Amino acid sequence: MNAVVHLTGDLPIALANTVRLRRGRLQDAIETPAGLAAWLAEIAPSLRTALPEHALTEVGEADASEARHLRDGIRSVIESQAAGEVPAEADRERLNRHAAAAPGWPRLDWDGDPVIARVSAAAPVAAALAEIAGAAIELCCSEQRHLLSACAAPDCIRLFAKTDPRRKWCSPDCGNRARVNRHYRNRNA
């Protein structure tokens, strides 16, 4: 899955990219509770919200449904912004609702050094999704919003933040496939 997080908006982009096309078929990494639990375990080090092991073993269908709902809202808002359009009010409200579902606050912990932990009265999975929704809102209002783009490869639906103005593809693999396809079309034209 590889959900490495670097930019402020990488958590929302990582969630948005849990759905992809593979050989023309849609694949959803968080379609099941087990898929969501695996994805959350992978990104847990990037979250400020603590996700204890027991919370990941208790992920249910309602959690997976909420995560897919949030993901679809994030995708819609980012795709609209990348296209230079105003996101639909319903999609903006979806992000706002998810962010407000689990209000959190900072807590001082100590692990050899002072550590800020984010805590919430909500269940850990709901709090993690609320953190991701909040990060999506911050991304959409930040200067990084101008870096958001959809992959230009015809068989890819992934989103990414352009780190180079000439970048068109989400990954080198997509760029290579697009160039090979273009070469094949030109050679056989």
Side-chain angles (χ1 to χ4, degrees):
M1 214 175 306
N2 196 8
V4 177
V5 177
H6 300 288
L7 297 173
T8 306
D10 276 354
L11 283 170
I13 291 172
L15 179 58
N17 287 336
T18 58
V19 65
R20 66 183 185 146
L21 281 176
R22 184 151 179 103
R23 297 186 177 147
R25 299 182 76 196
L26 203 58
Q27 291 184 334
D28 188 347
I30 61 170
E31 184 175 16
T32 64
L36 176 60
W39 183 79
L40 286 170
E42 188 175 336
I43 63 131
S46 300
L47 290 168
R48 292 180 293 150
T49 301
L51 270 175
E53 188 70 31
H54 73 85
L56 296 175
T57 60
E58 297 170 359
V59 171
E61 180 53 44
D63 297 318
S65 178
E66 285 296 309
R68 290 189 303 270
H69 188 257
L70 173 58
R71 178 203 48 216
D72 295 345
I74 290 171
R75 286 192 66 82
S76 294
V77 169
I78 290 176
E79 287 168 350
S80 294
Q81 282 194 298
E85 302 168 355
V86 175
E89 184 175 348
D91 293 325
R92 296 189 318 260
E93 282 305 313
R94 185 187 315 198
L95 293 187
N96 292 332
R97 183 181 67 77
H98 279 282
W105 56 91
R107 180 182 69 204
L108 177 62
D109 281 346
W110 215 268
D111 187 16
D113 286 316
V115 177
I116 297 174
R118 179 180 158 93
V119 294
S120 172
V125 172
L129 293 176
E131 179 181 336
I132 294 168
I137 292 168
E138 290 174 15
L139 174 64
C140 291
C141 297
S142 75
E143 289 303 312
Q144 289 181 349
R145 73 182 182 275
H146 302 295
L147 303 176
L148 300 175
S149 185
C151 185
D155 57 346
C156 184
I157 60 171
R158 294 174 62 102
L159 303 171
F160 68 100
K162 286 184 174 189
T163 52
D164 181 309
R166 297 176 303 160
R167 185 173 171 191
K168 298 179 188 176
W169 302 290
C170 66
S171 70
D173 290 341
C174 274
N176 288 339
R177 277 194 306 274
R179 286 188 288 275
V180 166
N181 285 339
R182 184 178 61 225
H183 173 74
Y184 182 77
R185 279 192 317 270
N186 291 342
R187 195 182 80 186
N188 294 322

